[in-house]
Amino acid sequence: MSAKGLFITFEGGEGAGKSTQIRAFAAWLEEHGHAVTLTREPGGTPLAEAIRGVILGPGGSQDALTQTLLFAAARRDHLLNLIEPALAAGRIVLCDRFTDSTRAYQGGKLDHALIEQTIRLSTGGREPDLTFLLDLAPETGLKRAARRNVAVDAFETADLAFHHGVRARFLALAEANPGRIARIDAGKDQAAVGMAIRAAYTARFTDAAGGRG
Ligand code: T5A
């Protein structure tokens, strides 16, 4: 855990339910008296939101290194100007996607060492205290995402094999980082997924940290 504040990320494939669950979890934490900052990547600051528009919009690059560098630039601004100040103020920061998304999405096309190098450059080694991986079959997630009434971004239009690769890389990350990443079965209904998230949080922090929950 950070000396001050707590940094929690939500990760997963398209339509896994991150936005839905992060809002519900923020409300639950606030009901329990915590000061919560809710944010997302790419985005979270004016500069990073502008980069988001470039990456996910129609003019975005198809080149994985260009994408990775843009995600890294957005992340650095987001960390310096929003995440770190909120953590220093003792807040719980909930972030919809972070470094694991770069590992899972860009990791299929770029060398592992290069990915880790760009992540270190942009974060100085900051990793979340806890990550919820909302794990879902891509076929189900893409159907859910298609039902939302919002524009489809560049990554959602990639083929199914790409999304299976993303899922496999997320699962490998969870296996390699069991102390940080909690895998949540996102195929269940919203209430059951929310309950699993709160249970994983409580198990991780309330006992060990003396009553965060
Ligand atoms: N990206 C991002 C990278 O490639 N590298 C990086 O480093 C970073 C940071 C971001 C894109 O950028 C890529 C990954 C992404 O492709 P985004 O717009 O933020 O794009 O897209 P997502 O994060 O994928 O957001 P989505 O909205 O697609 O998915 P969510 O947030 O996981 O899903 P949510 O909550 O919006 O739910 C989708 C629909 O399903 C329903 C909801 O009501 C909603 O309609 N739903 C459920 N239905 C049934 N059962 C449940 N349990 C449900 N939970 C939600």
Side-chain angles (χ1 to χ4, degrees), residues 1-33:
M1 196 191 308
S2 312
K4 282 185 173 181
L6 196 59
F7 184 27
I8 300 177
T9 57
F10 283 62
E11 296 276 9
E14 310 298 317
K18 297 176 303 301
S19 313
T20 305
Q21 292 298 336
I22 205 169
R23 285 193 299 267
F25 189 56
W28 180 79
L29 287 171
E30 282 168 349
E31 278 165 25
H32 285 76

Side-chain angles (χ1 to χ4, degrees), residues 9-29 38-40 94-97 132 134 136 141 144-145 147-150 184 186-195 197-198:
T9 57
F10 283 62
E11 296 276 9
E14 310 298 317
K18 297 176 303 301
S19 313
T20 305
Q21 292 298 336
I22 205 169
R23 285 193 299 267
F25 189 56
W28 180 79
L29 287 171
L38 183 52
T39 188
R40 68 172 180 180
L94 303 182
C95 189
D96 190 338
R97 297 192 181 280
F132 296 114
L134 271 57
L136 185 66
R144 281 187 193 172
R147 281 200 294 267
R148 286 168 318 166
N149 193 21
V150 296
I184 304 290
K188 298 191 172 147
D189 64 50
Q190 287 184 20
V193 176
M195 208 182 298
I197 288 170
R198 293 192 298 275

Side-chain angles (χ1 to χ4, degrees), residues 13-20 41-42 52 56 71 75 96-97 101-102 105-106 144 148 153 155-156 186 188-190:
E14 310 298 317
K18 297 176 303 301
S19 313
T20 305
E41 287 214 346
R52 176 189 180 92
L56 301 181
F71 282 122
R75 183 164 297 137
D96 190 338
R97 297 192 181 280
S101 279
T102 300
Y105 279 79
Q106 281 67 55
R144 281 187 193 172
R148 286 168 318 166
D153 68 52
F155 292 94
E156 284 173 41
K188 298 191 172 147
D189 64 50
Q190 287 184 20

Side-chain angles (χ1 to χ4, degrees), residues 47-86:
L47 175 61
E49 288 290 337
I51 295 174
R52 176 189 180 92
V54 171
I55 304 175
L56 301 181
S61 172
Q62 296 299 311
D63 175 62
L65 181 55
T66 305
Q67 289 170 351
T68 303
L69 294 171
L70 287 169
F71 282 122
R75 183 164 297 137
R76 179 156 176 79
D77 189 67
H78 188 206
L79 256 180
L80 289 180
N81 294 306
L82 191 145
I83 296 175
E84 295 291 5

Side-chain angles (χ1 to χ4, degrees), residues 36 67 72 120 123 149 157 175 183 194:
V36 177
Q67 289 170 351
R120 260 196 315 280
T123 65
N149 193 21
T157 57
E175 206 171 308
R183 179 189 165 276

